[in-house]
Amino acid sequence: MVGGGAAGFFAAIAAAEQGADVTVLEKNARFLDKVRISGGGRCNVTHACFEPREFAARYPRGGQALLSPFSKFSARDTVAWFEARGVKLKTENDGRMFPVTDSSETIVNCLFDAAKKAGVKLRLNCTVESVVKNADGTFELTIAPHPGPLPAGRGEGEKAAGESLFCDRLLLATGGCRAVVAGQLAVSLGHTLATPVPSLFTFQIESPWLRPLAGVSLELAEVSIPAAKLRERGPLLVTHWGLSGPAILKMSAWGARALHDLNYQFPLLVNWLPESNAVKIIQEFQTRRESAGAKLLVNVPLFPLTARLWEQLVLAAGIARDTRWSALTRTQSQALAQQLTHTEFRVTGKSLNKDEFVTCGGVKLAEVNFKTMESKRCPGLFFAGELLDVDGITGGFNFQAAWTTGFIAGNAMAA
């Protein structure tokens, strides 16, 4: 197994539990790094959605291909797998599932314990430079020498000085290939890659009145990018660099390629009150004139906007801070309603969401048999996880794709 992340580990455990002799090679000094940092260190294991077709609809790329795998190993199976090994999961209001300990180390330790019990061999600091398939059907892997002293880690830490390893079956689970280099082993064995581009990222916005609002969040907003014909609703978070939150992350996933083509520079529209409209908002203004006419506009926010956000939106609409409700003009009402439903920002770039960095692109799905995760071009070669051109929205969907494809690949390799 090349790759010691979620998919590689899960595949290794599945194969070893069926009696296979399994070794996991990880190029870094530590296994399961992405599992450790996911969900702010809590690990969003999966999502409480237990119907395969509904679950597959959460994948901008690869959903159709995952239908069959999800019927074999679903989110329900993931919950059962971890609970059978002593790890209970809980469901939050938005459907995300975490260990009840709220610690990713619970998941990491569970995976290590399962791998150890199954007899999986673990090797760190092993960069696979090349893979060749021999005439007898075996694979020969060339391991690069590791420069300098090896850091401490779990697993064997010996220096591999250009050694060769041989195996009958090979799994590539090297994660998202942001740089095409990460997919070159697959390419060398006859596969092609859908060009990798980032998915699940936040938007950089240079707005003088937005930046001071860092930390402000809304339970529901609507964001749209007319240039890419994208629209999304959901929670929205103001950050020090711009906008984030599920609404932004989901839009970045569905529009990963379109936004890449726009070079991450485009107008973004925000509707802060998506369950209302300009007519209803102006009617509410009239009610405020009558019921709170003596009060300052900036001191009486419309629900559910926070006081800080409301104040900045009023000022951004060109209304003076000392304006009272009774003095609000028709022109000002229209300007403020427009600001509340169609605030326009200029996005100037992207920032990868640290907990959810994901790649759109990878090994083309038509080249893989999703009943076994085996290559159609190179018998004995298998794939799992994000190296495939599969990616989901935020909320545990990318981990579930890793567990599912890893489980199927591991069992098929051992069969």
Short mmCIF file of all heavy atoms in Angstrom, two decimals, residues 214-245:
data_model
loop_
_atom_site.label_atom_id
_atom_site.label_comp_id
_atom_site.label_asym_id
_atom_site.label_seq_id
_atom_site.Cartn_x
_atom_site.Cartn_y
_atom_site.Cartn_z
N ALA A 214 -14.27 40.05 11.15
CA ALA A 214 -13.76 38.68 11.27
C ALA A 214 -14.33 38.00 12.51
O ALA A 214 -14.30 38.56 13.61
CB ALA A 214 -12.24 38.68 11.32
N GLY A 215 -14.89 36.81 12.30
CA GLY A 215 -15.51 36.08 13.40
C GLY A 215 -17.02 36.12 13.38
O GLY A 215 -17.68 35.29 14.00
N VAL A 216 -17.59 37.09 12.66
CA VAL A 216 -19.05 37.19 12.55
C VAL A 216 -19.57 36.05 11.65
O VAL A 216 -18.98 35.76 10.61
CB VAL A 216 -19.47 38.55 11.97
CG1 VAL A 216 -20.96 38.56 11.60
CG2 VAL A 216 -19.18 39.66 12.96
N SER A 217 -20.64 35.41 12.06
CA SER A 217 -21.20 34.32 11.26
C SER A 217 -22.71 34.44 11.15
O SER A 217 -23.36 35.08 11.99
CB SER A 217 -20.84 32.97 11.88
OG SER A 217 -21.42 32.83 13.17
N LEU A 218 -23.26 33.85 10.09
CA LEU A 218 -24.71 33.78 9.89
C LEU A 218 -25.09 32.32 9.69
O LEU A 218 -24.36 31.56 9.05
CB LEU A 218 -25.13 34.56 8.65
CG LEU A 218 -25.33 36.07 8.80
CD1 LEU A 218 -23.98 36.78 8.72
CD2 LEU A 218 -26.24 36.58 7.70
N GLU A 219 -26.21 31.94 10.23
CA GLU A 219 -26.70 30.57 10.06
C GLU A 219 -27.14 30.31 8.62
O GLU A 219 -27.06 29.20 8.13
CB GLU A 219 -27.85 30.29 11.01
CG GLU A 219 -27.41 30.08 12.45
CD GLU A 219 -26.49 28.88 12.61
OE1 GLU A 219 -26.79 27.81 12.05
OE2 GLU A 219 -25.44 29.03 13.27
N LEU A 220 -27.60 31.38 7.94
CA LEU A 220 -28.07 31.20 6.58
C LEU A 220 -27.81 32.45 5.76
O LEU A 220 -28.22 33.55 6.13
CB LEU A 220 -29.56 30.87 6.55
CG LEU A 220 -30.16 30.65 5.16
CD1 LEU A 220 -29.57 29.40 4.52
CD2 LEU A 220 -31.68 30.52 5.24
N ALA A 221 -27.12 32.28 4.65
CA ALA A 221 -26.90 33.34 3.67
C ALA A 221 -26.92 32.69 2.30
O ALA A 221 -26.82 31.46 2.17
CB ALA A 221 -25.59 34.07 3.92
N GLU A 222 -27.05 33.51 1.27
CA GLU A 222 -26.99 32.99 -0.09
C GLU A 222 -25.86 33.70 -0.82
O GLU A 222 -25.77 34.93 -0.80
CB GLU A 222 -28.30 33.23 -0.83
CG GLU A 222 -28.31 32.64 -2.25
CD GLU A 222 -29.65 32.81 -2.92
OE1 GLU A 222 -30.52 31.95 -2.71
OE2 GLU A 222 -29.82 33.82 -3.64
N VAL A 223 -24.98 32.91 -1.42
CA VAL A 223 -23.86 33.48 -2.17
C VAL A 223 -23.97 33.02 -3.62
O VAL A 223 -24.42 31.91 -3.90
CB VAL A 223 -22.51 33.04 -1.56
CG1 VAL A 223 -22.27 33.73 -0.23
CG2 VAL A 223 -22.44 31.53 -1.38
N SER A 224 -23.57 33.88 -4.53
CA SER A 224 -23.65 33.53 -5.94
C SER A 224 -22.50 34.15 -6.72
O SER A 224 -21.97 35.19 -6.34
CB SER A 224 -24.99 33.97 -6.54
OG SER A 224 -25.17 35.37 -6.40
N ILE A 225 -22.12 33.46 -7.79
CA ILE A 225 -21.07 33.94 -8.69
C ILE A 225 -21.66 33.91 -10.10
O ILE A 225 -21.64 32.87 -10.77
CB ILE A 225 -19.81 33.06 -8.61
CG1 ILE A 225 -19.30 32.99 -7.18
CG2 ILE A 225 -18.71 33.59 -9.54
CD1 ILE A 225 -18.18 31.98 -6.98
N PRO A 226 -22.22 35.02 -10.56
CA PRO A 226 -22.87 35.03 -11.88
C PRO A 226 -21.94 34.58 -13.01
O PRO A 226 -22.39 33.89 -13.93
CB PRO A 226 -23.27 36.50 -12.04
CG PRO A 226 -23.45 37.00 -10.63
CD PRO A 226 -22.38 36.30 -9.84
N ALA A 227 -20.66 34.92 -12.93
CA ALA A 227 -19.73 34.59 -14.01
C ALA A 227 -19.57 33.08 -14.17
O ALA A 227 -19.20 32.61 -15.25
CB ALA A 227 -18.37 35.23 -13.74
N ALA A 228 -19.82 32.32 -13.10
CA ALA A 228 -19.70 30.86 -13.17
C ALA A 228 -21.05 30.16 -13.01
O ALA A 228 -21.11 28.93 -12.94
CB ALA A 228 -18.75 30.38 -12.08
N LYS A 229 -22.13 30.94 -12.95
CA LYS A 229 -23.48 30.41 -12.78
C LYS A 229 -23.57 29.50 -11.55
O LYS A 229 -24.14 28.40 -11.61
CB LYS A 229 -23.93 29.66 -14.04
CG LYS A 229 -24.00 30.55 -15.28
CD LYS A 229 -24.46 29.78 -16.50
CE LYS A 229 -24.52 30.70 -17.73
NZ LYS A 229 -24.95 29.97 -18.96
N LEU A 230 -22.99 29.97 -10.45
CA LEU A 230 -22.98 29.21 -9.20
C LEU A 230 -23.81 29.93 -8.15
O LEU A 230 -23.78 31.15 -8.06
CB LEU A 230 -21.54 29.04 -8.68
CG LEU A 230 -20.59 28.20 -9.54
CD1 LEU A 230 -19.16 28.34 -9.04
CD2 LEU A 230 -21.00 26.73 -9.51
N ARG A 231 -24.53 29.15 -7.34
CA ARG A 231 -25.32 29.70 -6.26
C ARG A 231 -25.38 28.66 -5.14
O ARG A 231 -25.52 27.47 -5.39
CB ARG A 231 -26.73 30.04 -6.75
CG ARG A 231 -27.61 30.76 -5.71
CD ARG A 231 -28.99 31.06 -6.32
NE ARG A 231 -28.87 31.90 -7.51
CZ ARG A 231 -28.85 33.23 -7.49
NH1 ARG A 231 -28.93 33.87 -6.33
NH2 ARG A 231 -28.75 33.92 -8.61
N GLU A 232 -25.27 29.13 -3.90
CA GLU A 232 -25.30 28.20 -2.77
C GLU A 232 -25.87 28.89 -1.55
O GLU A 232 -25.67 30.10 -1.34
CB GLU A 232 -23.87 27.71 -2.46
CG GLU A 232 -23.81 26.57 -1.48
CD GLU A 232 -24.36 25.27 -2.05
OE1 GLU A 232 -23.91 24.84 -3.13
OE2 GLU A 232 -25.26 24.69 -1.39
N ARG A 233 -26.59 28.14 -0.74
CA ARG A 233 -27.10 28.64 0.54
C ARG A 233 -26.49 27.85 1.68
O ARG A 233 -26.19 26.67 1.54
CB ARG A 233 -28.62 28.50 0.61
CG ARG A 233 -29.39 29.53 -0.17
CD ARG A 233 -30.87 29.47 0.19
NE ARG A 233 -31.63 30.50 -0.50
CZ ARG A 233 -32.85 30.89 -0.13
NH1 ARG A 233 -33.43 30.32 0.91
NH2 ARG A 233 -33.48 31.83 -0.80
N GLY A 234 -26.33 28.53 2.82
CA GLY A 234 -25.82 27.85 4.00
C GLY A 234 -25.17 28.82 4.95
O GLY A 234 -25.18 30.04 4.73
N PRO A 235 -24.57 28.30 6.02
CA PRO A 235 -23.87 29.16 6.97
C PRO A 235 -22.70 29.89 6.30
O PRO A 235 -22.04 29.35 5.41
CB PRO A 235 -23.37 28.17 8.03
CG PRO A 235 -24.31 27.01 7.93
CD PRO A 235 -24.64 26.91 6.47
N LEU A 236 -22.48 31.12 6.75
CA LEU A 236 -21.43 31.97 6.18
C LEU A 236 -20.59 32.53 7.33
O LEU A 236 -21.13 32.94 8.36
CB LEU A 236 -22.05 33.10 5.37
CG LEU A 236 -21.11 34.00 4.56
CD1 LEU A 236 -20.48 33.22 3.43
CD2 LEU A 236 -21.88 35.20 4.01
N LEU A 237 -19.28 32.55 7.14
CA LEU A 237 -18.36 33.04 8.17
C LEU A 237 -17.45 34.11 7.58
O LEU A 237 -16.86 33.92 6.51
CB LEU A 237 -17.50 31.89 8.70
CG LEU A 237 -16.36 32.26 9.66
CD1 LEU A 237 -16.91 32.80 10.97
CD2 LEU A 237 -15.46 31.05 9.91
N VAL A 238 -17.34 35.25 8.27
CA VAL A 238 -16.39 36.29 7.89
C VAL A 238 -15.05 35.98 8.55
O VAL A 238 -14.99 35.69 9.75
CB VAL A 238 -16.88 37.69 8.33
CG1 VAL A 238 -15.89 38.76 7.88
CG2 VAL A 238 -18.27 37.98 7.76
N THR A 239 -13.98 36.02 7.77
CA THR A 239 -12.64 35.72 8.28
C THR A 239 -11.74 36.94 8.12
O THR A 239 -12.14 37.96 7.57
CB THR A 239 -12.02 34.54 7.51
OG1 THR A 239 -11.74 34.98 6.15
CG2 THR A 239 -12.97 33.36 7.46
N HIS A 240 -10.51 36.80 8.59
CA HIS A 240 -9.54 37.90 8.46
C HIS A 240 -9.15 38.13 7.00
O HIS A 240 -8.63 39.20 6.67
CB HIS A 240 -8.30 37.61 9.30
CG HIS A 240 -8.54 37.67 10.78
ND1 HIS A 240 -8.78 38.85 11.44
CD2 HIS A 240 -8.61 36.69 11.71
CE1 HIS A 240 -8.98 38.60 12.73
NE2 HIS A 240 -8.88 37.30 12.92
N TRP A 241 -9.35 37.12 6.16
CA TRP A 241 -8.95 37.27 4.76
C TRP A 241 -10.14 37.37 3.81
O TRP A 241 -9.97 37.61 2.63
CB TRP A 241 -8.07 36.09 4.34
CG TRP A 241 -8.74 34.76 4.50
CD1 TRP A 241 -9.54 34.11 3.60
CD2 TRP A 241 -8.69 33.91 5.66
NE1 TRP A 241 -9.99 32.93 4.11
CE2 TRP A 241 -9.48 32.77 5.37
CE3 TRP A 241 -8.05 33.99 6.89
CZ2 TRP A 241 -9.65 31.73 6.28
CZ3 TRP A 241 -8.22 32.95 7.80
CH2 TRP A 241 -9.00 31.84 7.49
N GLY A 242 -11.37 37.16 4.30
CA GLY A 242 -12.51 37.27 3.40
C GLY A 242 -13.72 36.52 3.91
O GLY A 242 -14.22 36.79 5.00
N LEU A 243 -14.19 35.53 3.14
CA LEU A 243 -15.39 34.78 3.50
C LEU A 243 -15.13 33.28 3.45
O LEU A 243 -14.41 32.78 2.57
CB LEU A 243 -16.54 35.12 2.55
CG LEU A 243 -17.15 36.52 2.68
CD1 LEU A 243 -18.18 36.76 1.58
CD2 LEU A 243 -17.78 36.71 4.06
N SER A 244 -15.74 32.56 4.39
CA SER A 244 -15.62 31.11 4.49
C SER A 244 -16.94 30.56 4.98
O SER A 244 -17.98 31.22 4.89
CB SER A 244 -14.46 30.73 5.42
OG SER A 244 -14.29 29.33 5.47
N GLY A 245 -16.91 29.36 5.52
CA GLY A 245 -18.12 28.71 6.00
C GLY A 245 -18.67 27.73 4.97
O GLY A 245 -18.24 27.72 3.81
#
